[in-house]
Amino acid sequence: MTEIVHVPLGERAYDVKIGTGLIARAGAEIAPLLGRERVAVVTEENVARLHLETLRAGLAAAGIEMEALVLPAGESTKGWAEFSRTVEWLLERKVERNDMVVAFGGGVIGDLVGFAAAILRRGVRFVQIPTTLLAQVDSSVGGKTGINSPHGKNLIGAFHQPSLVLADIGVLSTLAPRDFLAGYGEVVKYGGLGSLDFFEWLEANGPALAAGDEGLRAEAVRRSVQMKADIVAADETEQGVRALLNLGHTFGHALEAATGFSQRLLHGEGVAIGCALAFETSARLGLMSQESPSRLRAHLAAMGMKKDLADIPGELPGAEGLMALMAQDKKVQAGRLRFILARGIGEAFLADDVDLDVVRGVLEEALAAR
Ligand SMILES: NC(=O)c1ccc[n+]([C@@H]2O[C@H](COP(=O)([O-])OP(=O)(O)OC[C@H]3O[C@@H](n4cnc5c(N)ncnc54)[C@H](O)[C@@H]3O)[C@@H](O)[C@H]2O)c1
Ligand SMILES: [Zn+2]
């Protein structure tokens, strides 16, 4: 069964389709959007090896021809070099304003290809076919596209909404367990920021979902995407409520920076630990009872995920060093650290004026436990 979440953004509205077998049916799904029966697909080597033939056949079944550019896998692809290569390749293929570009991969491919589509001929349409859990629940929806700079992550980019998102639950079965669980960190984030009910559902169903149950996986993706769609529809360009999607990210980005954006800590792992630290800070500020951070950590532990600074291998800077990295994060406004805090699981809010001594205290304690 295919579930549809509609993202209501006026003339930029689109559907996110969630189900199994969507890649094999991609031709039928995409055909109504095409001016001519040809698409340019950009992907990366891991996804190409595992799933590109399925996509090719799925498109061919509807008479759609594809040409594919296969980039290297990994975060370092998301920079100027592969970006300009992609844009030039699309121009060589004579992709025009009415054509459709397909981003086929995880968040790295989705962000890079979406940004290429945003600037190519001042904007061409694109379809997201996200292949990681993180990309299905988060990066493929909402229109944030971009690449990294030596100055920092995601510093170059544009808002450019896709025309369609096809989240095929079946492709998640080839993900490495660690990559799957990192994506699950963003799923837990949705429960933490906006829905105790969803969090309780995850407590009950998370282990079976991680073990491979596709019905539960589809339900988790649908509920996450619905929450993201609601927030993006209310605040497309992050003037306010969209910032709630950054729960756990101020801490998380600092930890990613401290570990050199390496395999020591994946983005979603940093987000999960960051959510626990944001909840801990909220409890310390008297906003919620200590039960909430403990309960969040207990769920992460039950899932076999990293939940604490103690779970990060290798050296970490001290509390001051981590605070400095947080201040470098782009969510700094006029010298103040913006935090997403919460009054309970599912009740996040944007706090502009957080007592930094409390944050330092939380970090010192977490570091001492290592
Ligand atoms: N635009 C947004 O709103 C947004 C939100 C969150 C994250 N992001 C970005 O997303 C990126 C991270 O995305 P990601 O976690 O998907 O990383 P990724 O794209 O690097 O994929 C992770 C790994 O999984 C592999 N892979 C992908 N699909 C697979 C499949 N079906 N089977 C087996 N292996 C597969 C990839 O080759 C890679 O090794 C970061 O650059 C982050 O900044 C963007
Ligand atoms: Zn994230």
Side-chain angles (χ1 to χ4, degrees), residues 26 32 103 105 125 137 179 185 203 206 243 270 277 299 302 317 346 360:
R125 297 173 305 156
V137 298
D179 284 317
E203 286 180 317
L277 291 170
H299 179 52
R360 190 178 297 108

Side-chain angles (χ1 to χ4, degrees), residues 64-323:
I64 302 168
E65 248 180 79
M66 74 165 224
E67 284 188 276
L69 173 65
V70 181
L71 301 176
E75 185 72 27
S76 58
T77 289
K78 221 178 96 174
W80 283 120
E82 298 299 337
F83 178 72
S84 60
R85 182 175 154 208
T86 300
V87 171
E88 298 300 336
W89 181 82
L90 291 168
L91 289 172
E92 278 160 27
R93 299 274 113 34
K94 303 205 165 29
V95 171
E96 293 171 9
R97 288 293 292 273
N98 284 328
D99 286 328
M100 193 65 75
V101 175
V102 176
F104 187 42
V108 164
I109 287 295
D111 281 13
L112 178 143
V113 177
F115 184 38
I119 67 161
L120 192 80
R121 299 182 188 278
R122 299 197 178 80
V124 301
R125 297 173 305 156
F126 78 115
V127 174
Q128 289 269 22
I129 307 185
T131 63
T132 63
L133 181 58
L134 182 137
Q136 294 192 351
V137 298
D138 195 351
S139 61
S140 66
V141 179
K144 280 193 186 177
T145 72
I147 57 173
N148 304 326
S149 146
H151 292 283
K153 269 196 66 163
N154 298 329
L155 292 180
I156 303 147
F159 283 100
H160 188 50
Q161 300 289 347
S163 300
L164 175 69
V165 182
L166 298 177
D168 187 334
I169 298 301
V171 289
L172 301 179
S173 67
T174 57
L175 272 182
R178 188 177 175 197
D179 284 317
F180 183 88
L181 287 178
Y184 189 80
E186 301 277 7
V187 175
V188 172
K189 173 193 82 176
Y190 287 109
L193 78 88
S195 173
L196 176 60
D197 182 65
F198 185 39
F199 183 81
E200 286 175 341
W201 186 90
L202 292 172
E203 286 180 317
N205 296 292
L209 171 171
D213 186 311
E214 293 197 334
L216 294 175
R217 287 179 171 192
E219 178 67 2
V221 172
R222 183 190 68 76
R223 291 183 74 159
S224 300
V225 169
Q226 184 66 59
M227 288 179 71
K228 180 147 188 187
D230 290 345
I231 289 173
V232 168
D235 178 18
E236 187 178 3
T237 57
E238 197 167 324
Q239 307 303 310
V241 66
R242 187 166 179 170
L244 296 182
L245 294 171
N246 296 325
L247 175 65
H249 281 64
T250 304
F251 286 108
H253 283 160
L255 295 170
E256 280 185 273
T259 48
F261 297 98
S262 68
Q263 290 294 311
R264 274 174 71 197
L265 188 73
L266 302 179
H267 174 76
E269 295 173 336
V271 170
I273 296 172
C275 286
L277 291 170
F279 273 33
E280 196 67 48
T281 306
S282 304
R284 235 34 97 75
L285 288 165
L287 292 163
M288 56 165 62
S289 77
Q290 184 59 43
E291 194 225 330
S292 296
S294 302
R295 186 171 168 187
L296 182 77
R297 284 209 181 87
H299 179 52
L300 297 177
M303 296 297 293
M305 294 170 68
K306 295 187 173 67
K307 59 189 187 313
D308 246 318
L309 299 192
D311 301 324
I312 302 174
E315 294 292 307
L316 283 183
E320 277 314 321
L322 289 173
M323 301 273 292

